[in-house]
Amino acid sequence: RPDHERGRRPAFRVVGLRSAATVLDGRDEVIAAVGQHLGHSSWLSIGEDRVRLFAEATGDHRGADAPGEHVRTGSRGRPMIQDHLLLSLSNLFLPEILEVRGFTAGINTGTDEVRFVSAAPVGSTVRAAAEMLDATELPDGNGVDTVVGIVIEVEGAAEPVCSVRSRSRWLS
């Protein structure tokens, strides 16, 4: 029986998320989505607090308000957001863009071809765009492997700051 039927609280609860831009239900819809733009996430402002918390969690102070030469600055002397903070936002943004239904489990199997295309100053507003690059049925027919291309964009910038191919396995 599910936890809530046994009087236990669920391990986690999702609060306040908007519906995904694209919902795919089952193997056929996932495979048919190859080559399709899946949508955009909402915009998110990356302020000093988020950059500082990321620096504390990871030890990467290059974008934080830290003394000395560790701070990476742009052409106008402003601190830059850490590259890996921008990459990690793909995990925040992707559920806003894509929801996959009709499988018993979804497993994040990793990333490929991560590129840091340009830098973004602290205070930038960013979002993600996604495209289904590949979907291949598993040899045993019990699921699908997918590759979703995610691009992190900065509001008003001509080029993205980060691109990544996110791999998942969806089990029937």
Side-chain angles (χ1 to χ4, degrees):
R1 292 183 345 194
D3 283 344
H4 71 277
E5 290 179 5
R6 289 183 276 178
R8 296 183 192 156
R9 290 179 27 180
F12 66 90
R13 169 170 78 116
V14 178
V15 177
L17 288 179
R18 68 182 188 141
S19 297
T22 300
V23 176
L24 302 175
D25 194 353
R27 180 187 64 84
D28 293 340
E29 286 188 16
V30 169
I31 291 172
V34 172
Q36 300 296 312
H37 176 74
L38 301 171
H40 290 92
S41 70
S42 57
W43 289 100
L44 176 68
S45 180
I46 308 298
E48 291 179 15
D49 288 343
R50 186 178 296 264
V51 169
R52 193 171 296 112
L53 286 170
F54 185 83
E56 289 174 14
T58 64
D60 182 354
H61 293 277
R62 292 175 295 160
D65 185 16
E69 57 199 52
H70 298 293
V71 176
R72 186 177 67 147
T73 58
S75 60
R76 297 185 182 176
R78 292 176 61 191
M80 297 288 111
I81 300 168
Q82 301 96 327
D83 293 336
H84 285 89
L85 170 54
L86 293 166
L87 173 62
S88 71
L89 291 174
S90 64
N91 289 320
L92 174 69
F93 291 143
L94 190 56
E96 288 186 31
I97 300 170
L98 177 63
E99 179 181 344
V100 178
R101 298 177 181 166
F103 294 92
T104 59
I107 303 165
N108 176 345
T109 59
T111 58
D112 287 336
E113 297 185 33
V114 174
R115 300 288 182 265
F116 300 110
V117 182
S118 63
V122 173
S124 294
T125 302
V126 299
R127 72 174 179 180
E131 176 184 350
M132 182 68 73
L133 299 176
D134 190 32
T136 307
E137 188 169 1
L138 297 177
D140 63 6
N142 289 326
V144 179
D145 281 334
T146 59
V147 180
V148 175
I150 304 167
V151 176
I152 308 293
E153 307 169 337
V154 174
E155 188 173 33
E159 61 183 352
V161 290
C162 178
S163 68
V164 59
R165 292 175 179 232
S166 177
R167 295 185 168 274
S168 298
R169 175 164 285 178
W170 303 95
L171 300 174
S172 302

